[in-house]
Structure formats: C-alpha cells, structure tokens
Amino acid sequence: MAAAEELAVSDRPCLHMISAFLALEPPDIVISYARELGGGSITESVQRCIWLRCISKADLKLQGPFLKRFLKKLINEIESSGEMVLDELYEYYASCLVPLKDDGANVGNSKLLKTISFIFPNGSSKLEVRLRSSVNMLEGDTGCSIWPSSLFMSEFILSFPELFANKCCFEVGSGVGLVGICLSYVKASKVILTDGDFSTLANMKVNLELNNLTTANHTLDSRLHDKMVQCVCLPWESASEDDLHCFTPDIILGADVIYDPSCLPHLVRVLSALLKRKHSYHEPSAGLESDASLEKGAREGEQHPVAYIASVIRNIDTFNYFLALAEKANLVVTDLTEVIKVSDFLPYLRSYDRPNIKIFRIYVSMF
Ligand SMILES: C[S@@+](CC[C@H](N)C(=O)[O-])C[C@H]1O[C@@H](n2cnc3c(N)ncnc32)[C@H](O)[C@@H]1O
C-alpha cells in the first residue's frame, strides 16, 4: 500500500488540496484537486493523504455538515471510477451520519470553522488563520461571514508588510477579524478593530483568540502588547467626534463596507474625522514606488493618516454616492487596483472572486 508520505505536502497540487479542504471550499473543488493530485483519479495514496492530512484533523462538531457532504461526494466519485475506498473514509462517513450528542444545543448554530492558508509566493511558508464564520451571510449584520474584500485586503497587507509594520492601524466594519490578524502578523504597532454589531464583535473576539491573540476592550490602553488587539463597538451612525478623538491611527482600513447607501454618510463622516486629524505620519513608499501618482499621494498625506478600502462594486450608483460624499468631505479617493501588484496568496481558493475586487486609497485633499 502506498504511504501518504509519498505525496509531498509541499507539492503544489497537494498543498492546494489540503488548503482548499481546510478552507471548506465546495466539495467539488477539493475533489478536483484530489483528482489532479492522483493524475486523473483519486488513487489510494491520495485517499490516504486526504485521510491523514484533512479528515483525521477535522472537527466533527464544527465542520460536521461540510465533512458529511464532502465524504459523500468523495466516496461516490471513488466508487464510480472503480477504485477501492479506504476503510477509514467509510468509517468516518458513518460517524458523520450519527447525530452528535448535543445536536439539540446546536440547533440554530450555523457557525463553521475554516482555516484560510495564505501561501507565500516561494511556496515554502504559509500563514494559517482559523476563523469561525457563519454559513448565513446576513448573520451579525453580515459581519459573521468572510467577505472576499477582506481576503483581498489581507493579501494587500501581506504584499506590502512594510506599509503597516510599526503603524497604528484602525479598521472599520471588521467582521470576522481576518484583516486584524494579518495586521498583527506584519507587526503593526497597534491594531484596533471596530464593528457596529455586538454579535459580530463577540465572534471576532473568538477568532482572535483562536489565532493566539488577546483582546482589549477599550481604547486608551497604552500597555497593549504585540499579541493584543483592541475590539471596539463603533456604529458609524452614533460615533461622535469625542468617541473618535482617542484614536490616532496612522492607517485606516475597511473591507466591503461600501454597500448600504443609508450608512454611507455616516461612514464618510467617520473616515473624514479620522483622516483629518494631523499627526507625525510618514509613509514609506516601499513596494508602491512604481507609480508616480502614489508618490504624490504619499507626500500630500504626510501629516495625515491614509485609508485603504477594498470593495466589490455591486451597485455603481451606491459607489458613486460614496465618491460624491467623499469629495464633499474634501477626501481624495484613488483607485490603486491597476497600479499596484497584490500577490496571490490564495491560489487554491477557487470560490474567491478576486478580479471583482478593487482597492482604493483615501486621503485628505490639501487644496
Ligand atoms: C459586508 S461585512 C464586511 C466584513 C469584513 N470587513 C469582511 O470583509 O469580511 C460589513 C461589516 O460592516 C459592519 N457594519 C455595517 N454597517 C455598519 C455601521 N453602520 N456601523 C458599523 N459597522 C457596520 C457589519 O457589522 C459588518 O461587519
């Protein structure tokens, strides 16, 4: 019998299959990687790799419905191609069919545990982020799901770590907390995550802890250490100048926050209040120097913070409304999407619609 070790985990198809499984990509996607790995069929050594590297490390309680769907498809696929199915896979599938003891307590609990693996371009290292997220996109005012813009924002941060290292970073509408975990990874001096929804904040804190970060609730804790992230309830509608006064970020971030026209005047007011506060900010141009307009933006923003917003433009009228509000607030919005090269750290994540995401830089106009 071929050993799983025959398949080097660092080989691209193997790495992609395992990463796609851990991210709970749709079963068909994981199975297509498995087929690719076996040279067209899901051989015994591929099955053993799936068993050892994926299934046996999974958590039936937090990943049960996914495991059940995945194994059903996998076993069907193997059987219909005439291959033998490993006993372990049959046995595990059978255990998925038995209701869990505390299933009653789990009614309505629609959270899943996903691991997002950022694979560095040299292929030799990766950052694994564990996230409890909801299958219901609307849970927690949409903040309990992982939205594609936060994946792109994370790739942006990991592509230009020197932009964020030693900077005080403040995020609006942080959702599951992925961006904050990446900011902490690139050694931002302070990470402040905010959201207007309480259940989202509670889930965000669970995620920070899952990734060995501790959370601080309030704002003026100067004793924050590098594993500590501040989580603050900040509904844009009620955030006053006073509430915002205690934050002096160098960089403000937001992923997928431009979608609800009724919130936009409040969001722009919050961004504007944070961006207009002067401080001794100087942005390094590392990695972004290829574009002259960015250099100009960086100099103009020298005394002010800068914001980066990643967004899918689902409705052009809503986005144009955001631009009009920003202009009225004397903010300059520059589209960086075509002028910077954000590395692809998530090549295995086929359900991630990367080309539809744009990234903008926002700063205060001097004129
Ligand atoms: C589409 S989700 C994006 C979440 C996360 N940034 C991501 O990309 O995965 C929008 C986030 O903004 C938050 N949000 C929406 N309206 C808000 C408001 N008026 N004040 C504060 N947060 C708000 C939601 O709670 C949610 O976490």
Side-chain angles (χ1 to χ4, degrees):
M1 181 181 293
E5 283 64 32
E6 281 175 19
L7 300 169
V9 175
S10 56
D11 281 357
R12 198 186 57 92
C14 192
L15 189 60
H16 285 191
M17 181 189 74
I18 297 169
S19 304
F21 176 88
L22 294 175
L24 310 192
E25 280 281 85
D28 285 339
I29 292 179
V30 185
I31 289 170
S32 74
Y33 282 127
R35 228 183 282 117
E36 189 187 336
L37 183 59
S41 65
I42 305 173
T43 60
E44 203 171 329
S45 60
V46 173
Q47 291 181 48
R48 196 151 286 284
C49 179
I50 292 174
W51 168 247
L52 288 176
R53 309 279 176 200
C54 303
I55 307 279
S56 68
K57 294 190 174 156
D59 182 332
L60 196 52
K61 229 172 171 178
L62 285 167
Q63 297 164 331
F66 167 80
L67 290 168
K68 194 164 139 185
R69 275 187 295 122
F70 172 69
L71 277 166
K72 186 174 179 186
K73 284 212 162 176
L74 181 73
I75 290 170
N76 266 336
E77 166 100 12
I78 301 168
E79 283 176 343
S80 57
S81 69
E83 297 267 352
M84 293 282 286
V85 179
L86 278 192
D87 286 348
E88 288 90 334
L89 298 179
Y90 276 134
E91 281 159 21
Y92 199 93
Y93 181 57
S95 70
C96 290
L97 300 177
V98 179
L100 289 174
K101 246 202 214 129
D102 59 351
D103 258 4
N106 281 338
V107 171
N109 177 358
S110 51
K111 299 276 196 325
L112 291 172
L113 183 68
K114 298 187 179 189
T115 299
I116 305 294
S117 310
F118 293 91
I119 301 172
F120 288 82
N122 61 18
S124 65
S125 55
K126 56 181 174 166
L127 162 66
E128 289 192 338
V129 180
R130 279 151 55 82
L131 294 173
R132 193 176 75 152
S133 63
S134 179
V135 288
N136 170 3
M137 308 282 274
L138 300 183
E139 189 175 336
D141 198 13
T142 68
C144 290
S145 308
I146 308 168
W147 293 83
S149 300
S150 69
L151 295 171
F152 193 71
M153 183 64 94
S154 300
E155 291 186 301
F156 174 59
I157 293 165
L158 297 174
S159 298
F160 301 104
E162 51 298 291
L163 219 53
F164 302 92
N166 303 314
K167 296 282 162 40
C168 173
C169 298
F170 181 105
E171 193 190 12
V172 290
S174 301
V176 292
L178 172 62
V179 165
I181 294 164
C182 292
L183 288 168
S184 197
Y185 180 80
V186 300
K187 304 217 176 325
S189 60
K190 196 169 183 179
V191 179
I192 306 161
L193 303 185
T194 73
D195 207 280
D197 182 82
F198 280 111
S199 60
T200 292
L201 279 166
N203 188 55
M204 183 197 301
K205 287 179 190 174
V206 169
N207 284 332
L208 294 171
E209 277 153 26
L210 276 173
N211 292 280
N212 303 318
L213 296 167
T214 48
T215 56
N217 286 330
H218 217 256
T219 45
L220 291 173
D221 196 344
S222 55
R223 296 155 301 165
L224 284 184
H225 56 72
D226 63 350
K227 291 269 173 211
M228 196 177 266
V229 171
Q230 251 176 256
C231 297
V232 180
C233 183
L234 189 94
W236 308 325
E237 291 76 0
S238 57
S240 67
E241 287 281 331
D242 276 356
D243 293 333
L244 297 170
H245 189 73
C246 49
F247 303 110
T248 49
D250 300 310
I251 300 179
I252 299 136
L253 303 99
D256 218 334
V257 286
I258 303 172
Y259 58 95
D260 179 349
S262 70
C263 292
L264 292 182
H266 308 287
L267 173 63
V268 170
R269 186 178 56 76
V270 168
L271 291 176
S272 171
L274 292 166
L275 285 167
K276 284 180 179 164
R277 301 201 49 215
K278 281 195 176 180
H279 67 146
S280 57
Y281 169 71
H282 177 74
E283 182 181 354
S285 57
L288 298 178
E289 55 280 296
S290 56
D291 181 70
S293 63
L294 280 170
E295 292 267 289
K296 183 168 168 276
R299 277 199 299 277
E300 282 176 352
E302 213 164 55
Q303 297 302 313
H304 291 280
V306 64
Y308 295 104
I309 302 287
S311 198
V312 175
I313 301 178
R314 299 185 184 89
N315 180 321
I316 191 65
D317 293 336
T318 304
F319 189 71
N320 284 338
Y321 180 43
F322 172 78
L323 290 181
L325 289 164
E327 191 180 357
K328 212 167 152 198
N330 216 25
L331 301 178
V332 180
V333 181
T334 319
D335 186 349
L336 299 184
T337 319
E338 300 300 327
V339 289
I340 57 166
K341 167 103 186 70
V342 175
S343 301
D344 182 2
F345 290 94
L346 302 164
Y348 62 90
L349 215 52
R350 289 203 194 138
S351 64
Y352 162 37
D353 193 6
R354 199 175 192 262
N356 262 343
I357 304 162
K358 295 197 167 291
I359 185 147
F360 301 93
R361 178 193 170 102
I362 307 180
Y363 55 92
V364 177
S365 168
M366 291 296 145
F367 305 105

